[in-house]
Amino acid sequence: MFYVRPEIVTDTSSVVLRGLPSEASGETLSGRVLIRLGYPLKVKRVTIAFQSSDSRKQQHRRQNTIKSNTAMEQDIFNAADNQAGYAVWPATYRSNAKELPFLFTIPGNTHESVRTAFGNIAYELKVTIHTCGFGINSWTRTQRIPVYRVPLEGSGWALSLTDSMCVQADWLGAVTLQMVGDCAAFADNSILCTRAIVRPMKKGQMLADVGMRLREKVCCKNLVDRFGDLRSSQHTVCEQMQKVYNPSDSLQMMALDHEQCFDLALDIPSAVASRIQYSMDTASICVTHELTLVATIVDPHKNAHLLRISAPVRIVPKTALEASFAELPEYSKSCFDRLLLVSSPRALELDHLDHNDDSGTSWCSPPPHVYYYDDDDGVSDNNSMSAVPPSYQPVFGGRGMLVA
């Protein structure tokens, strides 16, 4: 069969930059290119590029005000040293393929992937096989690689993701709305859970419905409208409205004679589907999100009032919310041990005296968790916090005692 099938296999599905553009270091993107051939092919060189791919449609309309000019290319195979100027690759079977590894270092100031009405920024890997002969002389394959940004551990940005959410407002001294959440940062493709509290302050109030809405606002810093304000767009990402009423009541409303609590949940879509963007604030674009609690209150005069309270939230990659654990010490690593007790053999004999044997001589069996250490010269030294013992032996004598 006559075919050329290049395939890009990356070690990670995305590039995650850690820290702000001014402080982030470069991240590596590695992988390999698999090439399957249905017939022998004369190959001159094989290149792979990491580049930005903007929307042609928006470029034609002159609306693409945010863009990235990232372009990095490297040769993963070159037959320039051959006398013929090319190399003949034999045909491969389906199970066998020629592998060519690659490695890119993505700069820390690379713009994140974004898709808005003011322009798109996307990145892709593109492999090109240059051949010689008649007919088609180049074969290409592309693969999208999203670029995200998460905060550095211990930074102010990272600490702000752990803040709780608690917002409340009072309406004419009659009703108090409160929205409570464990945190104000949520990951995409997850469930956003909050608690809504409706607290009556006066009698005669009725509750018709309660709900929650997540909105996204995109502000372009490079465009202004006719009034001189920055151009922006906003839309509702997801929402949920819940009717509340007493089944025995024909009015289908709930009387607010005491505090009412409602556990609400929203399904946040995935950022890959482009229905929502991650929260960001760059030199050209600002993406913010707002969570709004909505409740319809009916007063004693049967007039309906729509009450709303809102709080800013952040939509971040799941990696930003996952805790990273430091490497825990193992028993084989003596450098992580700490001195807890310094004692003498006589004190151990007094504290751990067991019994007398048949000859009437008292003896002591040291506890199994007490150890001492010796230097290479065989002389026991005094324990100290600075001198970490290189090895351990069970205690049967000596001055230095260490509880491991």
Side-chain angles (χ1 to χ4, degrees), residues 13-17 111-116 121 146-151 157 161 185-190 214-219 235 237 268-282 285-289 313-321:
S13 59
S14 61
V15 177
V16 180
L17 302 175
H111 200 289
E112 302 98 301
S113 301
V114 65
R115 184 180 180 88
T116 65
I121 294 180
V147 177
Y148 306 135
R149 189 177 299 276
V150 298
W157 181 14
L161 300 181
F186 305 93
D188 65 316
N189 197 19
S190 64
L214 179 63
R215 293 184 62 83
E216 179 181 88
K217 181 179 180 180
V218 180
C219 179
H235 68 281
V237 178
I268 303 178
S270 174
V272 179
S274 301
R275 293 179 55 189
I276 189 172
Q277 309 297 322
Y278 292 125
S279 302
M280 66 180 68
D281 188 3
T282 63
I285 194 171
C286 179
V287 181
T288 57
H289 297 87
V313 295
R314 292 187 178 184
I315 305 300
V316 296
K318 188 176 181 180
T319 310
L321 301 180

Side-chain angles (χ1 to χ4, degrees), residues 96-319:
N96 298 328
K98 190 173 185 61
E99 295 189 9
L100 300 174
F102 65 88
L103 177 65
F104 286 101
T105 300
I106 311 302
N109 58 353
T110 304
H111 200 289
E112 302 98 301
S113 301
V114 65
R115 184 180 180 88
T116 65
F118 306 105
N120 304 335
I121 294 180
Y123 300 93
E124 65 181 8
L125 284 173
K126 182 179 181 180
V127 59
T128 305
I129 304 175
H130 301 272
T131 62
C132 59
F134 298 99
I136 301 175
N137 292 331
S138 64
W139 306 79
T140 62
R141 176 63 63 90
T142 60
Q143 179 175 330
R144 287 293 181 94
I145 300 294
V147 177
Y148 306 135
R149 189 177 299 276
V150 298
L152 287 173
E153 295 184 6
S155 62
W157 181 14
L159 296 177
S160 64
L161 300 181
T162 60
D163 295 339
S164 59
M165 179 178 57
C166 183
V167 182
Q168 70 175 17
D170 179 52
W171 176 67
L172 300 178
V175 176
T176 298
L177 289 182
Q178 186 175 9
M179 182 169 52
V180 181
D182 294 336
C183 63
F186 305 93
D188 65 316
N189 197 19
S190 64
I191 299 179
L192 189 156
C193 299
T194 58
R195 170 165 291 187
I197 302 175
V198 182
R199 186 179 300 110
M201 308 301 293
K202 293 182 180 180
K203 296 182 178 180
Q205 308 296 328
M206 305 287 289
L207 178 63
D209 56 23
V210 63
M212 190 166 50
R213 182 183 300 121
L214 179 63
R215 293 184 62 83
E216 179 181 88
K217 181 179 180 180
V218 180
C219 179
C220 183
K221 300 180 181 180
N222 299 336
L223 289 178
V224 295
D225 55 14
R226 57 182 179 177
F227 300 104
D229 299 329
L230 296 178
R231 294 190 59 181
S232 61
S233 64
Q234 54 184 345
H235 68 281
T236 300
V237 178
C238 53
E239 64 179 339
Q240 177 196 11
M241 296 299 297
Q242 178 179 346
K243 292 289 184 178
V244 290
Y245 62 91
N246 190 351
S248 60
D249 193 354
S250 59
L251 297 178
Q252 295 187 354
M253 291 185 293
M254 176 182 292
L256 291 177
D257 50 4
H258 62 279
E259 179 180 292
Q260 300 288 342
C261 298
F262 305 92
D263 292 329
L264 304 177
L266 288 179
D267 291 331
I268 303 178
S270 174
V272 179
S274 301
R275 293 179 55 189
I276 189 172
Q277 309 297 322
Y278 292 125
S279 302
M280 66 180 68
D281 188 3
T282 63
S284 58
I285 194 171
C286 179
V287 181
T288 57
H289 297 87
E290 186 180 64
L291 185 63
T292 304
L293 173 64
V294 183
T296 303
I297 303 297
V298 180
D299 60 14
H301 303 287
K302 306 302 180 182
N303 297 324
H305 305 273
L306 183 62
L307 308 183
R308 297 191 300 267
I309 60 173
S310 60
V313 295
R314 292 187 178 184
I315 305 300
V316 296
K318 188 176 181 180
T319 310

